[in-house]
Every structure is written in C-alpha cells, then in structure tokens.
Amino acid sequence: MSKGKKIGGIILVIIGTIFLVIGLAVGGLFGAVNGELDSAMAEVEQQIEDARQTGVTTYGEITDIDSESMATIEFYSEEDESWYYFTMMVVSDNYGVGSEVEVCYDPYRMNDADYVPIAPDLMMEGMEVILSTATTGGVAVGTVLGVIGAVLLIVGIVLLVSNKKDKKWTEEINARNAAQGVGGTRL
C-alpha cells in the first residue's frame, strides 16, 4: 500500500500541477484578451461616433434575417434619392424582420465596392455579446481547470505526506519490536 500511495501521490501532484498551470494560463490569457476586447469596444464606439459626425444618419428596416443571423437592412438615401441595402449580423432577439434600425453612411462612398454602411445599435450589441461571452467563458474555463488542478494537487500532497508518516510509523514499530525481541527474520 505504501508504494501505491507514493506513486498515486506523485501522479496526482504532476497532473494537478499541470491543470493548475493551464487554469492560470487560460485565466491570464482571457484577462489579456479582455483588455484587448475593451480596446476593440472603444474603437467601435469611436468608429460609430465618427460615422455619425461625418456621415448621414437615417433609419432603415431589417427586411430579412437568414439562417446565419445575417440581417439585410434596407434604407433610403435622400442625397441621391435611392434605396440601398447592406447586411450585418444580428446577435440579439431584440431585432427581427420589420425592426427599424439607425443607419450611418457616407453618401459619397455608397458606390465604392468596399464600402459598407453601419447600424450602430447592431454593432454595439454584437461587441457586447462578444465581450461578455469571451470574458464569461474564459473565466469559467480557467476557474474550473484551476480548481481541478488545486484539488488534485492537494490530494497528491496528502497521499505523499501520509505515505511518509506510514513509513515512519512502520519503522518505529519495527524498531520497537526488534528492541523487545519480537518478530524475527524470515528464512
């Protein structure tokens, strides 16, 4: 039993340490990612503010949402008296077909192939969902791995310590028995 405790203790200490280190690394990674996501959120907020100040703001309507949550948003541009549409992901149940959304666009870039207007509320909700999911998921995974690692590490240490005590106790009993002439040597 003594050898089994020692081997089991060593294995649990190794596995526990690995889980604990991975849990701390995941927590640290998501802590760093959280900082980057905060920075990305500030950048999106600035992009929206710039679009509102330098472009034209109007309202459009969500005319379709496909199976991948991509909404088609149609809006009217008074500058050239034309209807336009663009697609943007919808991550909230707050919006459905027929919902009215704010649209910001640059009337001078509407015919540029790489230009896409924005729907500020949809952008902000998307960023909030990403930030919330990454933070919550990262913290949960890091915490679970860290707790598992700590428990395995503690159990492993307890096994090693109890093994050492058992060994010491056995040696004391054998020494006492030998001093009293009890026991003997096997042939």
Side-chain angles (χ1 to χ4, degrees):
M1 179 73 171
S2 176
K3 196 168 200 153
K5 270 188 177 180
K6 183 176 182 180
I7 292 171
I10 291 170
I11 290 171
L12 287 177
V13 166
I14 291 169
I15 292 172
T17 301
I18 290 169
F19 270 78
L20 188 59
V21 168
I22 290 172
L24 291 172
V26 167
L29 174 67
F30 278 95
V33 167
N34 190 26
E36 291 296 320
L37 290 174
D38 286 342
S39 174
M41 180 68 116
E43 191 174 311
V44 167
E45 289 171 345
Q46 185 60 51
Q47 185 181 20
I48 290 169
E49 186 60 32
D50 291 347
R52 284 180 175 148
Q53 289 180 0
T54 62
V56 176
T57 299
T58 189
Y59 285 89
E61 181 181 332
I62 296 176
T63 58
D64 185 45
I65 299 177
D66 67 16
S67 61
E68 296 176 353
S69 298
M70 293 300 290
T72 300
I73 303 166
E74 291 184 5
F75 68 96
Y76 183 74
S77 169
E78 291 183 10
E79 289 74 27
D80 63 359
E81 299 178 347
S82 298
W83 283 92
Y84 292 96
Y85 71 93
F86 65 101
T87 59
M88 184 171 232
M89 182 167 279
V90 176
V91 295
S92 167
D93 291 336
N94 295 335
Y95 298 96
V97 173
S99 294
E100 185 176 78
V101 293
E102 177 186 11
V103 175
C104 297
Y105 66 97
D106 182 344
Y108 303 106
R109 295 190 60 206
M110 289 306 295
N111 292 321
D112 292 354
D114 63 340
Y115 178 72
V116 178
I118 62 169
D121 294 336
L122 296 180
M123 285 181 74
M124 288 303 295
E125 280 197 7
M127 285 302 294
E128 288 168 1
V129 167
I130 290 168
L131 184 62
S132 172
T133 302
T135 303
T136 304
V139 168
V141 169
T143 300
V144 168
L145 291 175
V147 167
I148 290 171
V151 168
L152 292 175
L153 189 58
I154 290 168
V155 170
I157 290 170
V158 167
L159 284 175
L160 290 173
V161 169
S162 69
N163 177 58
K164 190 166 188 118
K165 285 182 180 180
D166 288 350
K167 186 176 179 182
K168 185 177 178 185
W169 180 71
T170 303
E171 288 172 357
E172 288 174 2
I173 289 176
N174 288 339
R176 193 173 352 144
N177 288 341
Q180 295 174 356
V182 177
T185 311
R186 290 190 172 171
L187 297 174

